[in-house]
Amino acid sequence: MPGPARVLPAGRAERLRSLAAGLDLAPAARPVAAFDFRGERLLFGLGTRLRDAADATARRAGVPHSTVLLAAWALAVGRRAGRERLLVGTEMPRRPTAELLRTAVPCAATVPVACELEGGVDYFLRGIACAFSEALQYADADDPDAARAVGAPADRFPFRPAAPQVTFAARDELLPESLRAGGLTARFHHGHPGAVTADAALTVLRWREQPLLSLEFACARLTRAQAAQLARALRAALTALVTSSPHTPVDDLLETPAARDEAAAARPLAVPLP
């Protein structure tokens, strides 16, 4: 049986609370509607060339490929919202028993990761990895208490899994593409219930074979066109990360030629489910 839930320390709660508020992904001219949990999603690919470049960058920096994607997401969101420091609610593995370790389910908790957009590329990536490791220590914290301590918005508490308004999940690390049992082969398909708990949620559905990502967004916060812009911003940020030198300042990343070309291309993002 799992032990009692960890209590979020007051010092960490205070630090996270200072980063939790004021993240607005929509233009200032658009009125902010009440959060009603209605949502949609965009599916988009990255291509094998960008995947391979992300893998190479991850190896160089000594971090998982999911850290590179989380860093690109934090960079895209931070630049859009005008923030240098922000929280990204990130799925953490939560399998406290031997039985759960053998179970093919995305058993996870969404925990706020403090992302700071600073330093050169490799310094930035390692900082995100360290922030993830720090947050992992609190994956077993009591969710409602942690959300209350950090300052979850009143219109989403207690149903929201974490205080951050944006989330990230490397689902490819939690679920295999398929399972075999005897003579049967089962393949996972990722549906969408039409409800969301964050303003914008990026999920890596598939990575090794034809990378596939999902961007779920709250209809009260973003239009579909704005969500598509955010997905393009993510791809531009990832392109900048993996095509720049290890010491390129984060502040200069989105001004690199590769990032500008990626943003200007504005190629269609949505793809059908395989």
Side-chain angles (χ1 to χ4, degrees), residues 8 16 35 37 87-92 94 108-113 138-153 155-169 171 195-201 216:
L8 198 66
L16 297 181
F35 195 92
F37 299 94
L87 294 183
V88 178
T90 305
E91 277 195 356
M92 305 282 178
R94 196 176 192 181
T110 303
V111 180
V113 174
Y138 303 101
D140 61 346
D142 181 82
D143 289 341
D145 285 347
R148 187 183 294 108
V150 172
D155 58 358
R156 271 162 275 197
F157 185 80
F159 304 102
R160 190 174 187 165
Q165 294 166 246
V166 295
T167 61
F168 172 82
R171 200 64 57 79
V196 296
T197 54
D199 292 2
E216 298 181 0

Side-chain angles (χ1 to χ4, degrees), residues 64-65 70 83 86 99 115 120 152 174 199 201 218 237 252 255 262 264-265 270:
H65 72 271
L70 171 57
R83 296 284 294 273
L86 66 151
E99 290 76 12
C115 300
L174 297 176
D199 292 2
D252 298 340
E255 298 303 319
E262 178 66 36

Side-chain angles (χ1 to χ4, degrees), residues 60-239:
R60 184 192 72 204
V63 300
H65 72 271
S66 56
T67 296
V68 179
L69 292 166
L70 171 57
W73 180 230
L75 182 60
V77 170
R79 290 293 181 261
R80 184 179 181 92
R83 296 284 294 273
E84 297 293 330
R85 301 168 69 233
L86 66 151
L87 294 183
V88 178
T90 305
E91 277 195 356
M92 305 282 178
R94 196 176 192 181
R95 302 187 179 201
T97 66
E99 290 76 12
L100 284 176
L101 286 173
R102 297 194 298 268
T103 304
V105 293
C107 188
T110 303
V111 180
V113 174
C115 300
E116 300 190 6
L117 314 182
E118 62 181 13
V121 169
D122 281 11
Y123 179 92
F124 171 51
L125 293 175
R126 290 164 187 156
I128 296 293
C130 288
F132 181 94
S133 296
E134 181 183 6
L136 183 59
Q137 301 177 49
Y138 303 101
D140 61 346
D142 181 82
D143 289 341
D145 285 347
R148 187 183 294 108
V150 172
D155 58 358
R156 271 162 275 197
F157 185 80
F159 304 102
R160 190 174 187 165
Q165 294 166 246
V166 295
T167 61
F168 172 82
R171 200 64 57 79
D172 65 302
E173 296 181 342
L174 297 176
L175 286 175
E177 291 189 19
S178 61
L179 287 175
R180 290 186 61 84
L184 297 177
T185 299
R187 184 179 177 86
F188 287 95
H189 294 273
H190 302 272
H192 178 59
V196 296
T197 54
D199 292 2
L202 180 69
T203 303
V204 186
L205 301 178
R206 190 174 63 224
W207 185 248
R208 293 304 166 198
E209 295 182 11
Q210 297 297 325
L212 180 66
L213 279 67
S214 167
L215 176 58
E216 298 181 0
F217 60 96
C219 298
R221 294 291 189 263
L222 295 170
T223 66
R224 193 170 185 84
Q226 290 168 338
Q229 291 172 356
L230 187 56
R232 293 189 185 100
L234 174 277
R235 192 154 57 186
L238 180 61
T239 300

Side-chain angles (χ1 to χ4, degrees), residues 11-31:
R12 177 170 174 79
E14 182 178 355
R15 177 171 178 251
L16 297 181
R17 192 182 303 116
S18 69
L19 301 177
L23 191 66
D24 188 4
L25 299 178
R30 184 170 182 259

